[in-house]
């Protein structure tokens, strides 16, 4: 699943624009991840700060 | 905020502000809903705009201009410097804005003209009836209000969701998102009247790094790299930190600004039944420069003009609203986007050696009109070989 490192995230919305599922939304100062996220990792790749990470369910 | 308007505008940036202002000037009722608690903040922009482009919409005002530019500098991958200046030495060619105040001014002008404004109010779901967009459910501190409208203008920026909820694919391809970071830095040695662009695959892969002066010893120092070049250990921030450490080791960062800029082609279609999409949400950013303020204001204004026309005729169908789509595509802006898209596609494929060669060919250009088109024309003039490489594109530049 997708983990948002809230201490790193600058809530800029770069990730939202590339999400093929429309699973991310920038709600003012936090990033919301919807259930339809497929953990494809596209958002984690493009994040300018490295705030997103696809992690194994068991690691959470 | 009322429960019904002629035009509901999603987003209080330059596109939304111009849309709302134009709508009320055309005699319509209009409301801007902005999800953030403040107009203009946080900034997600390098803040540069050409002089003429700005003046098409508003008279420059020192209250929201950080610095006036008289030239630009391009630094090749090998460090070679190319100077661009106006043929009239010392004359203004552009501005670096203070977007916090600029955006506020634009929304204030819309409000003064009669538009309603609601901040910390998020369009959470569109209201769609029989496939036609009829407004939005607007969330203010957990209280959801149905706001109906004849036409909804989506001006919700790079992180736009509204059009997607209405069934339009707005996804930016990974290779065409500029993953960006900018620091507002002070205590740095800069030319206070010239923007600087650094090119090269070591500095900013498939993008560029910029220093845009904001006043004495202060500048927006930022970078955009292609999303496909981004990853753990080599993100936009990593590249910017390396540059800053080397170039401005004693500078102090007073603002930290991440962001995303689309450099793809605009959406295939920017209207739907009851909906018009504008600015960054429509992906009408200049793909070569990443500039989007002018394009946002232009499409915002045009969207409201089209909405007024169509509402007046009692037809807000996609077919009727298509006038908007056709008009901007045929405009100077639309043509520039298409042309600059091709130039960008050519440039990002070039190795540093080729970029060096191109930039070395012209060390100083005095331009009559300060545009990227004139820069490209001049480069081609001194590199006739490029004509062949650019093929069909070159013909469109003449």
């Amino acid at each position: 699943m997708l983990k948002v490192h809230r201490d790193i995230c600058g809530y800029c919305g770069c990730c939202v624009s590339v999400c093929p599922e429309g699973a991310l939304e920038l709600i003012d100062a936090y990033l919301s991840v919807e259930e339809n996220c497929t953990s494809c990792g596209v958002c984690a790749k493009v994040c300018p700060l490295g705030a997103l990470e696809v992690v194994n369910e068991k690691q959470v | 905020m009322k429960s019904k308007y002629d035009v509901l505008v999603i987003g209080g940036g330059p596109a939304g502000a111009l849309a709302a202002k134009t709508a009320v000037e055309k005699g319509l009722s209009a409301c801007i809903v902005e999800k953030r608690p403040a107009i203009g903040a946080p900034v997600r922009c390098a803040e540069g705009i050409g002089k003429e482009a700005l003046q098409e919409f508003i008279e420059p005002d020192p209250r929201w201009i950080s610095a006036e530019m008289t030239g630009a500098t391009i630094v090749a991958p090998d460090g070679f410097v190319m100077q661009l200046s106006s043929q009239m030495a010392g004359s203004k060619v552009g501005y670096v804005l203070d977007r916090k105040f600029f955006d506020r001014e634009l929304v204030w002008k819309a409000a003064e003209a009669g538009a309603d404004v609601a901040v910390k109010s998020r369009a959470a779901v569109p209201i769609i009836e029989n496939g036609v967009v009829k407004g939005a459910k607007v969330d203010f501190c957990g209280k959801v209000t149905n706001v109906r409208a004849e036409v909804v203008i989506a001006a919700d920026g790079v992180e736009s969701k509204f059009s997607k909820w209405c069934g339009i694919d707005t996804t930016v391809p990974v290779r065409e998102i500029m993953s960006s970071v900018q620091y507002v830095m002070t205590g740095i040695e800069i030319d206070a009247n010239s923007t600087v662009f650094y090119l090269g695959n070591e500095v900013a892969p498939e993008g560029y790094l910029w220093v845009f002066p904001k006043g004495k010893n202060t500048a927006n120092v930022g970078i955009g790299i292609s999303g496909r070049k981004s990853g753990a250990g080599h993100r936009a921030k990593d590249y910017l930190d390396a540059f800053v450490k080397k170039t401005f080791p004693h500078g102090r960062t007073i603002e930290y600004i991440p962001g995303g800029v689309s450099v793809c082609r605009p959406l295939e279609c920017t209207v739907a039944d009851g909906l018009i999409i504008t600015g960054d949400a429509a992906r009408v950013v200049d793909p070569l420069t990443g500039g989007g303020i002018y394009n946002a204001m232009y499409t915002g204004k045009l969207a409201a003009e089209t909405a007024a026309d169509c509402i007046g005729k009692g037809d807000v169908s996609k077919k009727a609203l298509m006038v908007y789509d056709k008009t901007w595509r045929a405009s100077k802006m639309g043509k520039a986007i298409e042309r600059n898209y091709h130039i960008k596609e050519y440039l990002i494929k070039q190795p540093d050696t080729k970029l060096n060669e191109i930039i070395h060919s012209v060390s100083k250009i005095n331009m009559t009109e300060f545009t990227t088109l004139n820069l490209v024309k001049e480069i081609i003039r001194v590199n006739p070989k490029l004509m062949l490489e650019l093929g069909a594109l070159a013909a469109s530049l003449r």
Side-chain angles (χ1 to χ4, degrees):
Chain A
M1 66 172 283
L2 186 68
K3 187 174 179 187
V4 183
H5 294 279
R6 299 196 191 282
D7 50 345
I8 300 174
C9 177
Y11 47 93
C12 69
C14 183
C15 54
V16 178
S17 72
V18 297
C19 176
E21 305 299 325
L24 298 172
E25 189 184 354
L26 186 63
I27 300 174
D28 191 14
Y30 76 92
L31 183 68
S32 113
V33 185
E34 304 298 322
E35 278 171 10
N36 59 332
C37 170
T38 61
S39 300
C40 72
V42 161
C43 54
K45 180 172 171 59
V46 306
C47 175
L49 308 177
L52 300 167
E53 190 187 356
V54 176
V55 295
N56 189 309
E57 301 281 348
K58 289 188 185 101
Q59 287 176 288
V60 184
Chain B
M1 192 171 60
K2 296 192 282 256
S3 60
K4 185 156 179 30
Y5 292 92
D6 294 319
V7 174
L8 176 64
V9 181
I10 318 289
L18 263 290
K21 176 169 173 279
T22 308
V24 291
E25 284 170 353
K26 293 269 172 192
L28 303 177
S29 61
C31 181
I32 299 171
V33 290
E34 167 57 53
K35 70 181 174 187
R36 296 194 187 274
I39 299 290
V43 173
R44 300 281 177 238
C45 185
E47 307 183 296
I49 187 167
K51 181 183 147 190
E52 263 119 53
L54 177 72
Q55 281 175 333
E56 198 176 313
F57 294 99
I58 186 166
E59 271 311 300
D61 185 328
R63 286 185 301 123
W64 41 260
I65 288 175
S66 291
E68 294 176 346
M69 296 302 111
T70 56
T73 300
I74 296 176
V75 182
D78 65 357
F80 180 84
V81 172
M82 179 209 274
Q83 299 272 4
L84 308 171
S85 51
S86 167
Q87 208 137 56
M88 311 247 292
S91 75
K92 272 175 281 183
V93 294
Y95 301 99
V96 177
L97 304 177
D98 193 332
R99 283 286 303 274
K100 285 184 188 113
F101 292 94
F102 179 69
D103 287 29
R104 204 180 284 195
E105 173 86 1
L106 295 182
V107 169
W108 177 74
K109 282 194 184 305
E112 192 190 40
D116 274 357
V117 182
V119 293
K120 200 165 165 52
S121 298
R122 184 176 64 99
V125 194
I127 298 171
I128 302 175
E129 287 168 6
N130 302 320
V132 182
V133 179
K134 294 278 191 183
K137 288 180 185 295
V138 177
D139 185 334
F140 172 71
C141 300
K143 185 176 169 248
V144 180
T145 310
N146 279 358
V147 182
R148 298 181 65 87
E150 298 291 325
V151 172
V152 175
I153 296 179
D156 47 347
V158 69
E159 77 262 33
S160 162
K161 289 301 291 275
F162 199 85
S163 322
K164 211 166 214 174
W165 292 330
C166 296
I168 295 160
D169 185 12
T170 59
T171 311
V172 177
V174 169
R175 60 178 285 271
E176 298 195 303
I177 189 74
M178 283 292 115
S179 178
S180 311
V181 183
Q182 173 173 274
Y183 300 149
V184 181
M185 297 196 72
T186 193
I188 57 178
E189 286 293 318
I190 50 158
D191 175 346
N193 299 103
S194 177
T195 49
V196 190
F197 302 82
Y198 292 81
L199 302 182
N201 289 297
E202 302 291 317
V203 184
E206 297 188 6
Y208 66 84
L209 189 150
W210 63 86
V211 177
F212 285 8
K214 295 270 286 178
K216 195 167 171 269
N217 301 123
T218 303
N220 287 335
V221 182
I223 189 174
I225 69 168
S226 164
R228 91 183 171 95
K229 295 286 184 180
S230 169
H234 51 95
R235 297 185 187 277
K237 183 175 183 299
D238 299 314
Y239 284 99
L240 185 61
D241 286 341
F243 174 84
V244 163
K245 197 176 168 191
K246 192 176 76 177
T247 316
F248 302 124
H250 305 298
R252 265 90 77 201
T253 298
I254 58 170
E255 196 167 332
Y256 180 87
I257 304 169
V261 181
S262 69
V263 292
C264 53
R265 280 213 172 93
L267 298 183
E268 254 173 60
C269 181
T270 53
V271 293
D273 292 324
L275 176 70
I276 306 180
I277 313 166
T278 62
D280 280 19
R283 315 303 185 208
V284 293
V285 174
D286 183 319
L288 181 61
T289 64
I293 304 170
Y294 171 85
N295 296 1
M297 292 195 286
Y298 171 80
T299 51
K301 181 168 181 241
L302 181 65
E305 287 167 351
T306 309
D309 247 17
C310 292
I311 292 169
K313 289 176 186 154
D315 182 3
V316 296
S317 66
K318 175 178 176 180
K319 199 177 159 202
L321 297 176
M322 269 308 281
V323 175
Y324 162 79
D325 192 275
K326 290 205 174 84
T327 306
W328 75 251
R329 278 182 216 276
S331 72
K332 200 175 161 189
M333 177 205 82
K335 287 178 182 153
I337 290 175
E338 184 59 21
R339 186 188 64 227
N340 288 357
Y341 181 81
H342 289 286
I343 298 171
K344 182 256 313 185
E345 284 296 293
Y346 171 80
L347 285 175
I348 61 169
K349 292 184 183 82
Q350 304 311 312
D352 282 357
T353 47
K354 181 73 185 185
L355 293 177
N356 286 334
E357 193 187 307
I358 293 172
I359 299 169
H360 280 228
S361 66
V362 260
S363 63
K364 188 159 177 61
I365 304 179
N366 288 317
M367 288 197 276
T368 40
E369 202 194 339
F370 217 77
T371 62
T372 45
L373 175 60
N374 283 352
L375 169 61
V376 173
K377 278 182 178 170
E378 183 63 18
I379 287 172
I380 292 175
R381 195 181 62 77
V382 295
N383 295 278
K385 225 172 48 179
L386 275 180
M387 272 295 212
L388 295 171
E389 291 177 31
L390 288 165
L393 171 62
S396 73
L397 297 171
R398 280 188 209 123

